[in-house]
Amino acid sequence: MELFNSESKKIISDPINVNNPISLQVLGICSALAVTIRLDQAIIMTLAVVFVLCSSNVILSLIRNYIPTRVRIVIMLSVIASLVSVVDELLKAYLYDMSKQLSVFVGLIITNCIIMGRAEAFALKHGPSKAFLDGLGNSMGYGLIIIIVSFFRELFGAGTITLPDGGAGYVLWSIPDSWYAAGYENIGLLVLSPGAFIILGLVIWIQREFAGVEEDA
Amino acid sequence: MTGVEHYLSIFTKAVFIENIVLAYFLGLCSFLAISKKIDASVGIGLAVIVVLTITAPINWFLWEFLLDKGALVWISEDFRNTDLGFLKLIVFISVIAAMVQLVEMFMERFSQSLYNSLGIFLPLIAVNCSILGGSLFMVEREYTISETVVYGFGSGVGFFLAIVALASIRYRIRYSNIPPRLRGVGMAMLLTGLLSMAFMAFSGIDL
């Protein structure tokens, strides 16, 4: 099976771990922060990005021999924009509450640098099956980070853990009242924007300790 | 609220209170990558101001007269129920990509010195989320045309302020003793967090 040899495994696992798009390549941070207030938003956003990145990689890799180099940016943008419009319309049709909460950030997947970056760096140079694996790996690497960030922001900021469902979200667990009675307090700062920056900064630090990457300056 | 005061309030909001980078996380990729150098930060900041001020009103016209529900009434009454809203993303991003190209050509022709200092940043701006985000927020908040101009310009100024501030801080801490794995992006994120906290103080301003 070609799909499970060591090279394919590397294409998937590298971006999740040692070459993570967010913490190491520093791509796609914009949307990564805005949707991390609650876990369910982050999960839906991850699914949207998995869909868009895998499909755009496959489509662009299929037509890569017909794209003139000089107009490739416009072609990439139009393929990506069409896919994102599909996701946007699907969310509006089936998960209306969620699409209201994510507001403009679904549309902003278009300008998510991960998608353009992978198209340019990988999909235009490799066959469709490898491009699919690369898309899967990178979008899961992206998802992993935003799910970690949103988990901590929601748990310590709002005191709940919410999973996505058809409506406003299903609360899996929330901090019991007896804790609040004993003096526990939520950290309100984490729900606000500074909290997102600081948590992501710390996650990047920890991930780089494990991956052993250093940057000067 | 009347006249000037209303626009002043939109402007202040876009620059300080709802800063496009520090409160809405838009345009962070270039924000983090370019803030290593101060002069480059000033360059991209100016380019963002120019492009946002131009693209937001153009997209407003397209939205109002082409894409919104019932926008095509000016052609014929038959289009009362036509809703082309789903084309919003594709149209906006094409306008932005085309405008960036145009601004670049215009600058090359008429101001060589400005082109030399901004030229390399312009292509990067086409995929800067703050530009597309500006247009999308303008639709979501249902601004009028003059409000859109003020909002676009204000958001650009907000981006400029934030990136120059971060670049100056990063310049100052160049020789500080930071844990090696935290250097670079990690530290920049923590600094941005502190900056964002400082900007939150402006939310007390009520115009």
Side-chain angles (χ1 to χ4, degrees):
Chain A
M1 279 283 279
E2 196 216 343
L3 206 66
F4 291 103
N5 61 24
S6 63
E7 197 197 342
S8 315
K9 243 185 239 161
K10 204 168 142 55
I11 294 178
I12 290 203
S13 65
D14 260 12
I16 298 180
N17 184 20
V18 291
N19 201 14
N20 190 291
I22 293 194
S23 57
L24 296 154
Q25 305 172 39
V26 201
L27 297 174
I29 301 214
C30 324
S31 60
L33 289 170
V35 298
T36 52
I37 287 189
R38 272 174 37 189
L39 187 58
D40 57 338
Q41 295 180 2
I43 293 174
I44 297 289
M45 190 67 176
T46 306
L47 294 178
V49 171
V50 168
F51 169 77
V52 174
L53 187 51
C54 292
S55 345
S56 81
N57 260 7
V58 169
I59 293 173
L60 288 168
S61 138
L62 282 174
I63 58 172
R64 70 183 187 283
N65 295 326
Y66 307 101
I67 302 179
T69 326
R70 299 191 58 176
V71 294
R72 68 183 191 288
I73 306 265
V74 180
I75 294 177
M76 289 194 291
L77 270 180
S78 43
V79 168
I80 296 167
S82 326
L83 288 165
V84 173
S85 302
V86 170
V87 171
D88 198 21
E89 295 297 311
L90 279 177
L91 278 181
K92 268 186 206 145
Y94 293 105
L95 291 168
Y96 188 73
D97 290 337
M98 184 52 78
S99 92
K100 272 280 158 248
Q101 286 170 22
L102 293 177
S103 79
V104 301
F105 293 103
V106 179
L108 289 173
I109 297 178
I110 298 178
T111 46
N112 189 321
C113 340
I114 297 178
I115 295 175
M116 279 286 267
R118 291 328 290 173
E120 173 91 23
F122 199 92
L124 292 183
K125 299 191 184 95
H126 295 83
S129 63
K130 272 188 194 165
F132 174 78
L133 293 178
D134 179 73
L136 196 63
N138 274 288
S139 46
M140 289 198 313
Y142 165 88
L144 182 73
I145 300 280
I146 68 169
I147 286 172
I148 292 175
V149 173
S150 64
F151 177 79
F152 285 111
R153 276 184 81 187
E154 191 185 354
L155 182 61
F156 294 113
T160 53
I161 298 174
T162 317
L163 291 178
D165 67 355
Y170 164 75
V171 179
L172 183 69
W173 188 78
S174 58
I175 288 175
D177 288 336
S178 55
W179 290 26
Y180 291 115
Y184 176 85
E185 281 199 37
N186 287 326
I187 311 170
L189 182 71
L190 289 186
V191 183
L192 303 168
S193 347
F197 287 116
I198 290 168
I199 295 252
L200 185 59
L202 296 176
V203 167
I204 289 178
W205 183 11
I206 294 168
Q207 168 114 27
R208 287 189 173 189
E209 284 293 342
F210 283 117
V213 177
E214 267 179 47
E215 192 182 337
D216 41 83
Chain B
M1 259 185 294
T2 53
V4 184
E5 226 173 280
H6 177 59
Y7 295 111
L8 205 63
S9 139
I10 290 184
F11 181 77
T12 331
K13 240 180 158 175
V15 178
F16 296 111
I17 305 171
E18 294 177 347
N19 188 293
I20 203 155
V21 182
L22 300 172
Y24 285 110
F25 314 107
L26 299 179
L28 273 175
C29 303
S30 35
F31 181 73
L32 290 174
I34 292 171
S35 60
K36 277 179 190 159
K37 292 203 181 99
I38 295 187
D39 44 350
S41 304
V42 173
I44 197 161
L46 290 176
V48 166
I49 295 181
V50 172
V51 175
L52 248 177
T53 320
I54 297 175
T55 54
I58 293 183
N59 282 337
W60 184 87
F61 276 109
L62 286 170
W63 175 252
E64 209 66 8
F65 293 110
L66 202 64
L67 301 172
D68 198 6
K69 189 164 192 275
L72 288 169
V73 178
W74 58 274
I75 299 179
S76 139
E77 205 47 42
D78 302 342
F79 294 120
R80 171 72 51 196
N81 289 317
T82 319
D83 183 0
L84 292 179
F86 65 93
L87 287 176
K88 175 172 73 175
L89 297 173
I90 298 183
V91 171
F92 284 2
I93 195 75
S94 334
V95 167
I96 290 167
M99 278 322 295
V100 167
Q101 201 85 64
L102 258 178
V103 169
E104 192 182 350
M105 279 161 22
F106 192 80
M107 260 184 200
E108 193 179 6
R109 174 75 180 75
F110 291 105
S111 168
Q112 200 64 43
S113 60
L114 199 60
Y115 177 76
N116 288 337
S117 55
L118 293 188
I120 48 165
F121 302 116
L122 280 168
L124 280 178
I125 284 181
V127 286
N128 186 323
C129 345
S130 57
I131 312 286
L132 183 62
S135 293
L136 292 176
F137 273 126
M138 166 259 321
V139 168
E140 201 177 78
R141 296 177 187 168
E142 296 169 355
Y143 282 144
T144 64
I145 177 67
S146 37
E147 284 171 341
T148 302
V149 176
V150 175
Y151 174 73
F153 179 68
S155 303
V157 173
F159 183 88
F160 178 87
L161 258 186
I163 195 168
V164 173
L166 182 66
S168 323
I169 300 177
R170 284 180 86 170
Y171 182 78
R172 258 200 88 100
I173 62 161
R174 259 192 321 175
Y175 299 111
S176 315
N177 193 11
I178 302 165
R181 304 279 154 76
L182 185 61
R183 271 180 210 156
V185 183
M187 197 60 211
M189 289 307 291
L190 296 185
L191 289 174
T192 316
L194 295 177
L195 255 182
S196 153
M197 228 186 276
F199 268 63
M200 273 175 62
F202 289 116
S203 60
I205 300 177
D206 194 16
L207 272 175

